[in-house]
Amino acid sequence: MTINEIARLAGVSRATVSRYLNDGYVSEEKRQILQKVIKDTGYEPSKQAQNLRKKTTGLIGVIIPRIQSESVSRMVAGISSVLSKEGYQLLLANTQNDEKEELKYLRIFRNNQVDGVIFIGTIFTREHFRLMEELEVPLVVLGQQIQAWPCVYQDDYHAAYDLTARLLKQASKIGYIGVTTLDKAVGEGRKQGFMDAVADIKPECQVEIRQAAFSALAGYDKARELLTKEPKTDTLFCVTDEIAAGALKYLHEAGYQVPEQVQLVGFGDTAMGKMVTPEISSVHFYYKTSGMEAAKLLLEILQEGRDIKKEIKMGYRLCICASLRAPTADNGSRTCKSGA
């Protein structure tokens, strides 16, 4: 009788059996099933193999989509601030939004190369979930809401809804520059919040949609494409500050006055958005704090040795700056201070 046969009889993965045998995190339901199968079969695991698997590394693997992203760097800073106090070191795996690289690092971390994994992902495929299930160490997802996995995520939908409600006060024709909706947070969540706000508040407002990459250059190109086709567009909604900064550069070059002719919003409340003129109205997410929460959740799983399917949704605040036209009732724009 082997561990693979036990897994087949119990209807679980090999990694789940391994975690159970090593007093790792397994749900109570699966724990009871495995208890029965092992008792019925008389299976006895190798003590030597168990001892080898119990060896800790003091390393936590952190899979990140873009090392140059300010939001990612803030999350990593939060993760580090918590885990370093507990004696852990981070092993950063930068994927540059390459799905194959993400899968590669999940395979590397699969067999106890690290004590745990924090995965800052964007697109989750069937292969991602298969490799995540096969991990013999706990994993926490950061930045996306993934059912059946412990995760910490941003409230992208409501943040987009509230920001759209604010810009609709002075908008009649809006250009939306987003990213692929395969990204459930930035792509789908923000787009749905935007579309629902338009439908609820100002359904007569005209909307033109473009899909871009996560870069300022893509924002520049899509703004040019959109305004060339629809020159009377008076508002641009961009799903990141970086995309918005690229769009702003095009607006300046094309002679548009911001916000008098075209108002502009982004997401992230980043340094890039503050360094341009005018400052870009945005949404502040507590990225550093979310990284801290993900690290605390991973520590909880490691220390308690059980499966914890906790979801933590973070808050947000609107940062209204000079790139947004003031409603009639306002006397001027306002800015918000940076935070974690």
Side-chain angles (χ1 to χ4, degrees), residues 4-23:
N4 289 329
E5 290 173 303
I6 294 294
R8 179 178 58 79
L9 290 170
V12 299
S13 70
R14 183 183 185 280
T16 300
V17 179
S18 178
R19 291 197 298 269
Y20 171 80
L21 294 174
N22 289 285
D23 299 321

Side-chain angles (χ1 to χ4, degrees), residues 167-168 170-176 194 205 226-227 232-237 261-265 324-325:
L167 65 83
L168 282 171
Q170 292 289 319
S172 59
K173 192 174 185 65
I174 304 177
Y176 177 93
F194 167 81
C205 187
L226 196 152
L227 284 156
K232 292 185 179 180
T233 298
D234 62 13
T235 300
L236 287 181
F237 183 109
Q261 290 177 282
V262 180
Q263 58 180 348
L264 175 71
V265 297
L324 195 58
R325 288 190 291 273

Side-chain angles (χ1 to χ4, degrees), residues 130-151:
R130 185 184 70 79
L131 291 173
M132 288 162 63
E133 178 64 31
E134 290 181 358
L135 279 173
E136 295 188 11
V137 296
L139 176 144
V140 172
V141 176
L142 177 54
Q144 299 277 352
Q145 182 184 19
I146 303 296
Q147 291 185 349
W149 289 93
C151 58

Side-chain angles (χ1 to χ4, degrees), residues 84-195:
S84 62
K85 293 179 182 177
E86 299 296 324
Y88 288 99
Q89 293 181 312
L90 303 188
L91 189 59
L92 292 181
N94 179 35
T95 67
Q96 287 300 117
N97 284 120
D98 187 329
E99 177 187 321
K100 293 180 180 178
E101 287 294 297
E102 291 178 345
L103 298 174
K104 180 183 80 173
Y105 285 116
L106 283 171
R107 292 187 186 98
I108 290 173
F109 293 151
R110 177 169 50 190
N111 297 315
N112 288 335
Q113 301 296 321
V114 293
D115 294 336
V117 176
I118 296 177
F119 186 12
I120 307 174
T122 54
I123 298 172
F124 288 77
T125 66
R126 183 176 300 176
E127 183 66 7
H128 281 84
F129 291 125
R130 185 184 70 79
L131 291 173
M132 288 162 63
E133 178 64 31
E134 290 181 358
L135 279 173
E136 295 188 11
V137 296
L139 176 144
V140 172
V141 176
L142 177 54
Q144 299 277 352
Q145 182 184 19
I146 303 296
Q147 291 185 349
W149 289 93
C151 58
V152 180
Y153 62 99
Q154 315 301 330
D155 192 356
D156 292 280
Y157 173 86
H158 289 103
Y161 190 103
D162 288 350
L163 184 60
T164 305
R166 172 59 177 79
L167 65 83
L168 282 171
K169 295 176 180 179
Q170 292 289 319
S172 59
K173 192 174 185 65
I174 304 177
Y176 177 93
I177 304 179
V179 297
T180 174
T181 53
L182 293 175
D183 181 324
K184 298 299 181 184
V186 180
E188 182 180 325
R190 295 180 191 180
K191 183 179 181 181
Q192 195 60 54
F194 167 81
M195 297 300 293

